[in-house]
Amino acid sequence: MADSTGQEPTEPGHTGAVAADPYDRIAWRDLYARSAALRELAAELAARHAHTTDLLADAFLAAYLAAPRVREAAEMAPSRRFNREVVAELAASPGFAALRRETAGDPYAAALAVLAEAPALRLLLDRTEPVREAADRAAEARRSAGRPARTAGETARQAGATAGALGAGATSADGAAGPASAPAATAGQAASRAEAAARQALEAATPGIRAAARTATAQAVRVTREEAALMRAWGVGHGELERMPYEERARLAERLRTGRLARWAELIGRFRQMADGERARKVENATGELIGVTLGDDLSRVLPSELAHLGLPELRAVFAARYAAGELMLYDSRGEQTTGQGAVIACVDTSHSMYEEGPGGITREAWSKACALALLDQARHARRDFVGILFSAADKLQVFRFAADRPAPVERVLEFAETFLGGGTSYQRPLSAAAALLAEEFDTAARGRGDIVLITDDECGVTEQWTREWQEARHRLGFRLFGLAVGAPTATASGSVLEALCDNLRPIEDLTDVRAAADLFRLI
């Protein structure tokens, strides 16, 4: 029977297991509207089980909210108490705190967690259908119990109104209420029995719910951590991800998972971490690694014991005399030339031979591109322009420029990393292009002392005329050329072309060792 509003009465209690304000629920609805994967999952589950969209919303909010609160069972509508039990077990799972470190406040990551939990939840729903059917029966019994009670109340009110109009008949009203209240009492007892049966079924299913929740949480932790690590490996920061629209972020994640270098994300991440560590080892205004004590007049490196002489008036003259003679005791160090201000240019060989795998199944291309991406980080950290030049044969060259004063678009970085030209190997054209770029920078911005890193696995000849022009450009612009011979020990042999061209040359034989190029990030 409909109530006074004309609507069929609904069951008492909340339908959402996680307490959330309207703005948080708007975040769920907005994400649901934009995520085809969530909508497909909800449609699939709803076709087989009741109230599953509410369950997905609760799982999202539990992962997303800063301090989620799961409502007590007594607060819940009977038909949603199963959902409440599932979410409570998710929140109590050992890995839930680790999951929330990845998802709290990040709607995309929270949605990713829900999708990762789906297989375990799907299996749980299939196995616990009788439990939810019992809950639905209890909800329907409670709704049915309300109908006779309302009918009895209405009958009593009508009888009372009639008696009042006649001036008598209170007894008649009581007599009318008595028989009408009997069905209400019977329906109430049936509802109580149905609710007790539903509670018992839910209690019996709790161990299985707990196990499924732990499995779901573990899977969500794994998936969200892997994606976060993938983003970090490619240099995509958390702040950048939060500003990225959902669709764009989903496309980026898919591209990173399926791109040409997807399987080498871990290598790329290790390279970037190594480069970051080498930057942290640098000391401002220091000339290098301390190796002992020497004599001189550099006040920035004076030993504390010498400075102590200035605190004694009778020894100040001695200090001044030793300073004038260049005989103060100083820290001695071994270091390298300070970095330049010009662009950092990575010339990466993409000839066919770069497909070759080394130790650990890592290709020469993967090692080279990982090194180049770390050099991009290095340049941006030093506020220097970065240029990636991909080359192979003399007629194949592609240039990617990243200005220091503008963000490096993720799509452009990926295009640089994934482009492979194929063909043979020629040094002259990429090095000439690099020198021309440094000359342009020098002429327009007066920035010199750029750095060129040539990464190749081959050796080739250069002409005498080209060599003269190269040396003239290097003398004018003051740039340095670093050479990395990947899996090509003969290219670094005495008398080789690379040895003649490079200021700093090293062979790279173990492609699993990112530290083989560690000092490069202290020099550049």
Side-chain angles (χ1 to χ4, degrees):
M1 183 180 202
D3 61 16
S4 60
T5 64
Q7 301 294 322
E8 191 69 20
T10 58
E11 57 183 321
H14 293 281
T15 58
V18 178
D21 62 40
Y23 294 103
D24 294 323
R25 294 201 175 275
I26 287 173
W28 159 251
R29 289 195 293 270
D30 180 59
L31 193 71
Y32 183 83
R34 289 185 286 121
S35 172
L38 278 178
R39 293 195 303 274
E40 290 170 4
L41 174 61
E44 175 205 340
L45 295 180
R48 299 158 55 191
H49 310 290
H51 319 306
T52 49
T53 302
D54 287 339
L55 175 59
L56 296 181
D58 285 331
F60 169 85
L61 292 169
Y64 171 69
L65 294 181
R69 180 182 74 83
V70 180
R71 290 189 168 99
E72 296 298 327
E75 300 178 67
M76 299 299 300
S79 62
R80 306 306 200 279
R81 285 175 185 165
F82 175 86
N83 289 0
R84 184 264 171 200
E85 192 69 20
V86 172
V87 175
E89 292 297 344
L90 285 173
S93 297
F96 192 71
L99 175 64
R100 287 182 33 73
R101 283 194 288 271
E102 304 291 344
T103 61
D106 186 342
Y108 174 90
L112 183 65
V114 172
L115 293 171
E117 291 165 351
L121 294 180
R122 187 183 292 112
L123 184 60
L124 174 64
L125 290 170
D126 288 340
R127 290 177 174 175
T128 56
E129 182 67 26
V131 179
R132 283 170 293 106
E133 288 177 350
D136 287 340
R137 286 193 296 271
E140 178 58 31
R142 180 52 60 192
R143 284 193 292 269
S144 299
R147 296 188 190 106
R150 283 187 295 276
T151 300
E154 184 64 23
T155 300
R157 283 193 298 274
Q158 291 175 358
T162 301
L166 296 174
T171 306
S172 300
D174 293 341
S181 64
T186 302
Q189 293 169 0
S192 298
R193 289 194 298 270
E195 289 177 357
R199 283 195 299 272
Q200 290 174 359
L202 185 58
E203 290 173 2
T206 296
I209 295 173
R210 182 175 300 118
R214 293 186 176 189
T215 301
T217 301
Q219 179 71 359
V221 169
R222 184 185 66 80
V223 170
T224 54
R225 278 181 173 174
E226 284 180 357
E227 180 152 318
L230 186 65
M231 294 294 182
R232 286 193 297 270
W234 284 95
V236 187
H238 185 71
E240 184 177 0
L241 288 175
E242 288 189 335
R243 294 189 298 271
M244 197 176 292
Y246 178 87
E247 297 84 352
E248 182 181 344
R249 185 167 171 181
R251 287 195 299 270
L252 174 61
E254 181 63 20
R255 182 172 179 181
L256 294 182
R257 282 192 295 266
T258 60
R260 290 189 64 250
L261 297 180
R263 58 187 287 220
W264 308 123
E266 190 269 340
L267 173 69
I268 294 168
R270 285 197 292 122
F271 242 110
R272 285 182 140 147
Q273 289 174 2
M274 177 272 293
D276 187 61
E278 292 304 314
R279 283 194 296 272
R281 291 179 57 187
K282 290 184 177 182
V283 180
E284 294 295 329
N285 302 319
T287 56
E289 177 186 1
L290 297 178
I291 59 174
V293 176
T294 187
L295 301 178
D297 59 359
D298 186 350
L299 295 178
S300 67
R301 295 188 289 139
V302 174
L303 266 64
S305 59
E306 288 279 31
L307 292 174
H309 294 163
L310 294 174
L312 300 174
E314 61 271 22
L315 294 179
R316 288 174 185 170
V318 176
F319 181 92
R322 295 183 64 181
Y323 172 67
E327 294 180 350
L328 293 174
M329 288 192 294
L330 314 175
Y331 287 117
D332 193 11
S333 62
R334 176 177 59 211
E336 292 85 15
Q337 182 73 22
T338 56
T339 61
Q341 284 80 46
V344 177
I345 302 179
C347 298
V348 182
D349 188 348
T350 59
S351 60
H352 282 309
S353 57
M354 294 292 282
Y355 275 129
E356 187 172 329
E357 293 185 358
I362 299 173
T363 65
R364 296 173 180 179
E365 179 202 8
W367 193 95
S368 301
K369 295 286 182 63
C371 183
L373 292 174
L375 287 169
L376 169 60
D377 289 348
Q378 189 84 350
R380 299 196 71 78
H381 186 270
R383 297 181 177 82
R384 300 169 67 182
D385 290 353
F386 176 82
V387 181
I389 298 179
L390 305 179
F391 71 93
S392 56
D395 61 339
K396 293 185 177 182
L397 189 84
Q398 196 160 343
V399 178
F400 297 81
R401 303 184 71 164
F402 300 91
D405 59 352
R406 290 192 295 274
V410 177
E411 294 292 328
R412 187 65 172 165
V413 173
L414 287 174
E415 186 181 356
F416 165 63
E418 294 180 345
T419 298
F420 193 88
L421 303 177
T425 303
S426 172
Y427 296 161
Q428 288 188 187
R429 190 177 176 201
L431 291 179
S432 294
L437 288 167
L438 292 176
E440 176 188 346
E441 184 181 41
F442 182 80
D443 294 337
T444 58
R447 289 200 297 267
R449 292 192 297 121
D451 292 305
I452 304 172
V453 180
L454 176 64
I455 310 175
T456 182
D457 71 339
D458 203 353
E459 53 183 332
C460 63
V462 294
T463 67
E464 184 176 341
Q465 175 64 26
W466 181 88
T467 303
R468 283 197 297 270
E469 294 173 354
W470 171 259
Q471 295 297 347
E472 289 171 2
R474 180 154 60 177
H475 178 73
R476 172 175 172 255
L477 302 173
F479 61 76
R480 298 175 293 180
L481 175 62
F482 298 86
L484 299 174
V486 184
T490 59
T492 61
S494 178
S496 67
V497 172
L498 281 180
E499 185 194 41
L501 292 176
C502 295
D503 301 289
N504 185 302
L505 175 64
R506 74 206 65 196
I508 305 297
E509 297 180 8
D510 183 2
L511 301 185
T512 63
D513 182 15
V514 300
R515 298 205 61 80
D519 62 325
L520 187 68
F521 296 91
R522 294 195 298 272
L523 296 170
I524 293 179

